[in-house]
């Protein structure tokens, strides 16, 4: 603790971050590739729109099965960052493999759902990875940026998923498109094109998996911050299972942590509703005149993705410079509900430009709030292991997403498009009310100030303490 030489940064952290970016990209593809072409899957698999919802929503089922065993393994130190990332990479590859195989024959609907469950396993664990990886490998003044760059991959994948499948399956014959019924030939062409698309993503996911198997370690040889150095020097002992339950009880006895888990569930998973149902909302409101509802839906959702990428980038920079997490989160969620009200009003008046603009703002604020809330959770629970914190948080927010997806279909069935959009607004309003009760304490930063003193504050303005390949 007396010398800066005990803190080092490694250039390879950026290569590993890029690998995680690619995995998040694949997760974005698996999330966004289905809702916009709901009609194609309904006709191809001879399913109902509600059944096709499960191609997207099935990814949230994984949280039911993985959260508890994963949290236990993390607590008993049986799995570290490397194990988490290998689960992410391996399950992503298996999931995309099942999705690709499902497109071999029209009777294999079950395979695409199973593939989505595996992709959901990857994403469930993957949501916890950005902050865990950032804290272990990056200095305090780069943590927010690392989280943002990691999660940006998810939204870049979303952009591709929103547009590319619609382009591949939309027939050139506009008469067929307007009738809403695809011929056997059009279904066959879409089937072949989608199979090729997922085959390419399968190869990419497999390559990244091999990269992590060879090069990734649980933590860098030398920590990047005083707080992480202090944790590394703690004596590691085998802890009994009963202590896991006590530690979990301690974690959930922090009211602010419980609230943040719920808030992240609403904020981070809210786009699930639009992703599943935007194409149906547009068709219900008769807003698509010169293009198919799936194509227009993809364009509109793209504005969400662009806004989210900008929001994540800006959020990462703001979090690095300003540690007023609660204030930032309140400002972000309050503005978020205004954007959703704008979407609702635009839908009521069938204003397509308004949907574009408000979805872009919705995406920006979702990305911004995500970075702030993830960092806020690790600050509030320090010195509890970040991986354990993020694992439970991910399981809870994913389960909330599963329920929101089911409720959205119920809302659409009874109250159509307006009911779904009003439900979104209610979710964010509840998030704002809960956020007001969250503590604003920064525990990890308190350790940095105590151990580093004036030198730590000076280092926080210096991008690199020491670098090593």
């Amino acid at each position: 603790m007396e010398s800066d030489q005990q803190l080092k940064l490694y250039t390879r952290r950026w290569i590993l971050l890029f690998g995680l970016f690619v995995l998040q990209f694949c997760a974005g593809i698996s999330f966004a590739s289905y809702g916009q072409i709901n009609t194609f899957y309904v006709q191809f698999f001879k399913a109902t729109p509600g059944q096709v919802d499960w191609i997207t929503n099935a990814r949230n089922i994984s949280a039911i099965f993985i959260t508890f065993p994963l949290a236990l393994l993390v607590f008993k130190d049986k799995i570290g960052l490397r194990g988490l990332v290998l689960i992410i990479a391996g399950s992503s590859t298996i999931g995309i493999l099942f999705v690709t195989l499902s497109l071999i024959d029209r009777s294999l609907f079950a395979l695409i759902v199973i593939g989505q469950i595996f992709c959901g396993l990857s994403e469930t664990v993957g949501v916890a990875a950005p902050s865990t990886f950032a804290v272990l490998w990056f200095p305090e003044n780069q943590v927010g940026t690392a989280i943002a760059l990691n999660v940006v991959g998810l939204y870049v994948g979303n952009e591709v998923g929103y547009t590319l499948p619609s382009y591949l399956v939309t027939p050139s014959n506009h008469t067929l498109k307007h009738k809403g019924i695809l011929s056997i030939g059009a279904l066959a062409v879409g089937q072949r094109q989608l199979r090729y698309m997922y085959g390419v993503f399968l190869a990419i996911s497999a390559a990244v998996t091999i990269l992590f198997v060879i090069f990734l370690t649980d933590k860098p040889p030398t920590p990047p911050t005083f707080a992480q150095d202090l944790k590394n020097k703690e004596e590691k002992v085998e802890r009994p299972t009963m202590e896991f339950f006590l530690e979990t009880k301690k974690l959930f006895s922090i009211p602010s942590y419980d609230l943040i888990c719920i808030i992240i569930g609403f904020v981070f998973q809210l786009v699930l509703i639009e992703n599943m149902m935007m194409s149906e909302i547009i068709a219900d409101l008769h807003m698509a005149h010169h293009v198919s509802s799936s194509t227009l839906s993809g364009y509109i959702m793209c504005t969400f993705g662009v806004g989210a990428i900008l929001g994540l980038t800006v959020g990462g920079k703001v979090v690095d410079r300003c540690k007023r997490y609660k204030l930032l989160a309140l400002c972000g969620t309050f503005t978020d509900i205004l954007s959703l009200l704008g979407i609702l009003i635009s839908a009521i008046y069938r204003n397509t430009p308004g949907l574009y603009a408000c979805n872009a703002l919705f995406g920006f604020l979702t990305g911004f709030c995500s970075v702030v809330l993830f960092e806020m959770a690790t600050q509030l629970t320090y010195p509890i292991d970040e991986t354990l914190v993020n694992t439970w948080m991910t399981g809870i927010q994913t389960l909330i997403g599963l329920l929101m997806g089911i409720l959205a279909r119920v809302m659409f069935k009874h109250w159509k498009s307006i009911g779904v959009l009003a439900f979104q607004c209610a979710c964010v309003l509840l998030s704002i009310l809960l956020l007001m009760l969250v503590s604003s304490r920064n525990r990890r930063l308190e350790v940095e100030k105590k151990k580093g003193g004036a030198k730590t504050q000076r280092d926080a303005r210096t991008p690199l303490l020491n670098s090593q390949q």
Side-chain angles (χ1 to χ4, degrees):
M1 301 299 290
E2 295 80 22
S3 170
D4 286 349
Q5 295 302 314
Q6 291 184 284
L7 302 180
K8 291 183 181 179
L9 299 180
Y10 296 85
T11 304
R12 65 176 177 268
R13 73 190 188 280
W14 296 109
I15 299 174
L16 299 175
L17 180 62
F18 177 73
L20 288 174
F21 173 93
V22 172
L23 291 180
Q24 295 281 13
F25 173 85
C26 292
I29 290 290
S30 72
F31 173 66
S33 296
Y34 308 102
Q36 315 315 315
I37 54 172
N38 181 287
T39 302
F40 172 84
Y41 285 110
V42 166
Q43 295 178 43
F44 180 78
F45 289 115
K46 298 180 180 179
T48 66
Q51 289 173 325
V52 172
D53 280 354
W54 284 102
I55 301 179
T56 302
N57 207 17
R59 49 191 277 286
N60 289 324
I61 295 175
S62 305
I64 299 174
F65 303 102
I66 193 61
T67 300
F68 175 79
L70 186 62
L72 180 58
L73 289 172
V74 167
F75 178 82
K76 293 180 73 66
D77 206 21
K78 300 297 184 181
I79 184 171
L81 176 66
R82 185 175 190 272
L84 288 176
V85 173
L86 291 183
I87 291 175
I88 297 168
S91 56
S92 172
T93 303
I94 294 171
I96 297 175
L97 173 63
F98 273 105
V99 171
T100 305
L101 292 175
S102 73
L103 292 165
I104 293 177
D105 189 84
R106 300 176 66 178
S107 64
L108 299 177
F109 179 77
L111 279 187
I112 198 170
V113 175
I114 293 171
Q116 277 295 87
I117 292 175
F118 275 99
C119 289
L121 173 61
S122 172
E123 192 171 345
T124 298
V125 182
V127 172
S131 14
T132 302
F133 176 76
V135 167
L136 289 172
W137 283 83
F138 285 81
E140 193 66 51
N141 66 316
Q142 293 180 0
V143 167
T145 300
I147 293 174
L149 290 175
N150 198 326
V151 183
V152 158
L154 182 67
Y155 292 101
V156 174
N158 286 346
E159 294 295 277
V160 176
Y162 290 141
T163 53
L164 183 57
S166 178
Y167 172 78
L168 295 177
V169 305
T170 300
S172 57
N173 188 321
H174 288 265
T175 302
L176 292 175
K177 181 173 60 179
H178 288 306
K179 287 182 178 179
I181 299 175
L182 298 173
S183 66
I184 296 298
L187 287 173
V189 171
Q191 173 190 15
R192 183 175 63 253
Q193 299 277 44
L194 290 176
R195 194 166 62 241
Y196 290 157
M197 181 189 81
Y198 284 112
V200 172
F201 295 138
L202 174 61
I204 293 172
S205 182
V208 173
T209 301
I210 295 171
L211 168 72
F212 283 126
V213 168
I214 297 173
F215 295 107
L216 184 64
T217 57
D218 279 330
K219 62 181 70 173
T222 304
T225 64
F226 286 109
Q228 201 59 47
D229 184 48
L230 185 64
K231 290 194 67 174
N232 290 349
K233 289 179 178 178
E234 293 177 354
E235 184 179 357
K236 303 293 183 181
V237 295
E238 179 70 25
R239 295 184 288 182
T241 302
M242 183 55 66
E243 190 176 339
F244 163 76
F245 292 102
L246 295 175
E247 189 75 2
T248 299
K249 180 180 178 181
K250 176 183 175 183
L251 178 63
F252 284 106
S253 66
I254 303 173
S256 292
Y257 174 72
D258 300 334
L259 294 173
I260 287 228
C261 289
I262 298 171
I263 294 166
I264 288 180
F266 285 131
V267 172
F268 198 76
Q269 293 283 341
L270 202 58
V271 66
L272 172 72
I273 297 173
E274 283 199 357
N275 184 64
M276 288 195 310
M277 312 194 71
M278 180 57 75
S279 178
E280 292 180 86
I281 290 172
I282 290 173
D284 176 53
L285 297 173
H286 305 289
M287 297 181 67
H289 303 297
H290 305 294
V291 295
S292 66
S293 59
S294 63
T295 301
L296 180 58
S297 172
Y299 292 158
I300 290 174
M301 291 306 297
C302 268
T303 62
F304 175 92
V306 171
I309 293 170
L310 293 174
L312 286 163
T313 305
V314 173
K317 293 297 183 182
V318 171
V319 165
D320 284 341
R321 296 177 181 274
C322 177
K323 305 302 181 181
R324 301 288 297 276
Y325 302 116
K326 183 174 180 178
L327 178 61
L328 292 173
L330 280 171
C331 291
T333 51
F334 179 77
T335 315
D336 203 12
I337 196 171
L338 297 181
S339 69
L340 287 169
L341 286 172
I343 293 173
L344 177 60
I345 294 170
S346 298
I348 291 173
Y349 288 97
R350 294 172 172 78
N351 186 319
T352 303
L355 279 180
Y356 277 110
C358 292
N359 262 284
L361 181 59
F362 175 37
F364 177 87
L365 295 166
T366 299
F368 180 89
C369 291
S370 297
V371 176
V372 176
L373 290 170
F374 281 130
E375 177 66 0
M376 192 175 184
T378 58
Q379 292 284 0
L380 285 169
T381 56
Y382 182 85
I384 299 174
D385 184 85
E386 294 91 356
T387 308
L388 180 64
V389 169
N390 286 305
T391 299
W392 280 116
M393 181 173 63
T394 301
I396 293 171
Q397 63 101 351
T398 310
L399 284 172
I400 291 173
L402 178 67
L403 295 175
M404 288 171 62
I406 296 172
L407 287 173
R409 174 55 62 181
V410 174
M411 293 290 177
F412 187 83
K413 182 178 180 179
H414 290 88
W415 295 285
K416 295 298 181 181
S417 304
I418 304 305
V420 173
L421 298 174
F423 175 62
Q424 286 184 294
C425 295
C427 289
V428 179
L429 178 60
L430 180 58
S431 298
I432 295 173
L433 297 176
L434 294 177
L435 191 55
M436 292 179 180
L437 304 175
V438 174
S439 169
S440 58
R441 186 174 181 185
N442 301 332
R443 295 176 182 270
R444 198 171 71 231
L445 288 179
E446 291 170 3
V447 173
E448 288 293 301
K449 292 176 182 178
K450 180 178 178 182
K451 295 296 180 181
K455 182 177 289 295
T456 302
Q457 299 306 307
R458 182 171 63 254
D459 291 339
R461 295 191 297 268
T462 305
L464 297 178
L465 298 174
N466 198 350
S467 61
Q468 176 177 322
Q469 182 66 38

